Amino acid sequence: MGTLEGKVALVTGASRGVGQGIALGLGEQAATVYVTGRTEAGGPPTTPFGGTVQGTAEEVTAIGGRGVAIVCDHRDDERTRQAVARVVAETGRLDVLVNNVWGGYEHFWDGTEFWLESGFWTVPIERWDAMFQAGVRAHYVTSVTAAPTMVAQGSGLIVNVSSDAATRDDAGVTYGVAKAATDRMAACMAHDLREHGVTAVSLYPGLVRTESVLRAAEHFDLSDSESPQFVGRAVAALAADPEVIRFTGQVVRSAGLGQHYNFTDIDGRRPGTGDAPYRPATS
């Protein structure tokens, strides 16, 4: 029996990559997992990497959970509200929200000569808008819509997928600021939600073997990398912890959580040995 049987999760941006891996990590613990994304079976591709929300939902079911696909562009607030409303209408609850969807990566595959950009003043302002609209704002709107159900339950977990780019000066202004905003959002949400028994955290994966990373594998040292599903196992471990609220407002790391909860990656390895499980989001 999975540790999350009877629990309901919503993972945004789960057609591929980290979002898909998180959905699978929850599914292998028998959760019901609603997955959102723009790429649907039979529709036009949104990236060159493949993957659809229906495909992810089918994999969740195959691995032991119950996967449900919702086609949703989280740049549209109303569609976001409809997606959350559908989850609650069909299940009567929402135990885990994973805000994973993100925007502003298109320049990696749309032909932009981004390698010529040197200094934030050479970066198109539209990239800032894309990361904040399809990333930070999407996380906020989904959380605003999901929070009332969790507050009424007196329990729940909100995970904002972030990055250590929030702490690095060399990450680029747009990406670094957007991820720092994501971390502060989790910390401030935690302040409001704590008295209602709801936990909010930011999650830092390590180097994850997503489709885009593997496409450029010659540029990375993958020796200590993580599968997308390892990140999902980190979320599942948090969701199954009856005392998870002790982490609320913190930045948690997938590798550190692997040490803390004693889980491994799909190949039996444990990435990031020695990583601390969390740090204050305000540090």
Side-chain angles (χ1 to χ4, degrees), residues 188-213:
C188 294
M189 285 179 178
H191 177 271
D192 290 355
L193 292 169
R194 181 190 293 271
E195 66 179 289
H196 302 287
V198 180
T199 298
V201 300
S202 273
L203 172 64
Y204 287 7
L207 176 60
V208 184
R209 297 186 298 275
T210 62
E211 295 88 346
S212 58
V213 167

Side-chain angles (χ1 to χ4, degrees), residues 75-109:
R75 295 172 297 184
D76 184 329
D77 293 350
E78 184 55 33
R79 293 186 68 179
T80 296
R81 295 187 186 99
Q82 291 172 0
V84 175
R86 175 179 166 185
V87 175
V88 176
E90 292 181 357
T91 68
R93 62 185 304 111
L94 179 55
D95 301 288
V96 182
L97 168 63
V98 183
N99 288 311
N100 171 74
V101 67
W102 199 259
Y105 292 141
E106 293 80 3
H107 60 288
F108 287 126
W109 59 75

